[in-house]
Amino acid sequence: MKTIFISLLSLLLLPACGGSAARSKRPAQTTPAAAHAQSKTYTYRIVATYPHSTAAYTQGLYYDGGLLWEGTGQHGESRVQTIDLTTGKTNVLARLPRSEFGEGIARVGDELFQLTWQSNTAHVYSLEDGKLRKIRDHRYPGEGWGLTTDGEKLYMSDGTATIYTVNPATFRREKRVTVTFQGTPVNYLNELEWIGDRIWANVYTTDQIVIVDPATGIVEGVVDLTGILPEEEVAPTTDVLNGIAYDAAGKRIFVTGKNWPKLYEIEIIEQ
């Protein structure tokens, strides 16, 4: 679909920004582009619709134990919470200080990791009996945006075209790849999710998700979710698409957005 290609490539010309339109500018990515590769395009079918809190500025999302786990952003409103799919009811398990802007979350073993936008800090919580207890912090350079895991390593975005492979024990960056679409770096990678053996990434300010080979950074697919939130559901506080979760056992994909009233289970359809 040409419109998908244009929307992704046009982002390369925009000033960088993250989970909020007020985010700071940064230099363009300069890492050399990877080799060209054919990318598939997908549309979607809504399988089910669930309630979502319009007070949740979604930054991180994952599915575990029958619940959706959500990390939210904004100063004074950043938290980690669970969501009951049926009712949309949230249970807040951790709150960040007003000085911090929460970002992506991911679970490795019995530990939950939470990024912050510009505080250069990853918070680590122990997960016991559905409760969170902060056990340590890690410092990292630059901004924190999205976070996911393959069950062993963490994968982190910082709003550029780069995805870092991170050791969860030390939070040291062990590898980096530049995400490219038809040989051109794709900036503004935001929330991440590991599905199968690929990373799915929201591209900030667009309705597109890119499916990325984590070894090469090559975009192998683009999922266009244009129109998934109906116009009548859009309010003045409604922000962009952001949030991908995967139920591996049920093979269910969930998506939502910042301050959206709905969360969707979708099936993707190749075009």
Side-chain angles (χ1 to χ4, degrees):
M1 290 179 63
K2 186 176 180 180
T3 55
I4 297 176
F5 300 163
I6 291 173
S7 63
L8 283 175
L9 294 175
S10 65
L11 283 173
L12 304 171
L13 306 178
L14 297 175
C17 48
S20 169
R23 291 188 173 192
S24 60
K25 296 182 180 180
R26 64 175 59 76
Q29 187 72 17
T30 57
T31 304
H36 285 47
Q38 184 64 40
S39 178
K40 296 179 179 179
T41 62
Y42 300 88
T43 186
Y44 65 93
R45 180 178 73 86
I46 296 174
V47 177
T49 303
Y50 305 96
H52 181 254
S53 172
T54 55
Y57 192 81
T58 307
Q59 300 287 72
L61 198 68
Y62 76 88
Y63 183 89
D64 183 53
L67 294 171
L68 279 166
W69 291 70
E70 183 175 44
T72 70
Q74 303 287 28
H75 294 289
E77 300 176 17
S78 296
R79 57 194 181 271
V80 178
Q81 60 191 19
T82 57
I83 307 171
D84 182 282
L85 266 177
T86 304
T87 65
K89 182 179 178 180
T90 59
N91 180 26
V92 177
L93 301 176
R95 295 182 184 273
L96 292 184
R98 297 187 65 85
S99 61
E100 294 186 350
F101 194 116
E103 288 283 349
I105 61 172
R107 177 179 179 176
V108 180
D110 292 328
E111 295 183 341
L112 184 142
F113 294 77
Q114 179 185 25
L115 299 179
T116 55
W117 173 33
Q118 292 183 319
S119 298
N120 312 109
T121 302
H123 300 296
V124 187
Y125 307 88
S126 67
L127 243 172
E128 299 175 2
D129 301 323
K131 298 180 180 180
L132 294 183
R133 179 176 61 86
K134 194 163 84 164
I135 53 176
R136 67 181 184 276
D137 289 338
H138 292 289
R139 301 285 291 171
Y140 55 83
E143 297 183 1
W145 285 37
L147 196 67
T148 191
T149 180
D150 61 1
E152 296 183 1
K153 300 294 185 179
L154 290 165
Y155 297 84
M156 174 181 171
S157 66
D158 62 359
T160 66
T162 300
I163 293 179
Y164 300 94
T165 303
V166 177
N167 184 317
T170 62
F171 221 76
R172 182 169 297 174
R173 295 173 177 178
E174 299 180 339
K175 180 185 174 182
R176 58 177 287 172
V177 297
T178 299
V179 173
T180 59
F181 175 75
Q182 296 183 351
T184 303
V186 179
N187 286 289
Y188 325 119
L189 301 175
N190 206 357
E191 216 271 312
L192 307 176
E193 179 70 9
W194 190 274
I195 300 181
D197 58 358
R198 294 296 184 260
I199 293 174
W200 289 39
N202 284 116
V203 181
Y204 179 62
T205 75
T206 79
D207 292 321
Q208 279 79 51
I209 292 170
V210 290
I211 302 173
V212 181
D213 181 337
T216 65
I218 292 173
V219 172
E220 297 181 340
V222 179
V223 183
D224 184 11
L225 297 182
T226 298
I228 192 167
L229 183 67
E231 281 297 322
E232 58 269 22
E233 298 277 5
V234 176
T237 56
T238 304
D239 211 313
V240 298
L241 177 79
N242 198 52
I244 313 164
Y246 184 58
D247 170 12
K251 300 188 183 305
R252 297 186 294 172
I253 301 169
F254 302 98
V255 296
T256 190
K258 303 170 185 290
N259 305 123
W260 281 24
K262 296 290 193 299
L263 182 143
Y264 299 96
E265 178 186 340
I266 63 167
E267 173 190 351
I268 64 169
I269 302 166
E270 186 176 349
Q271 294 189 304

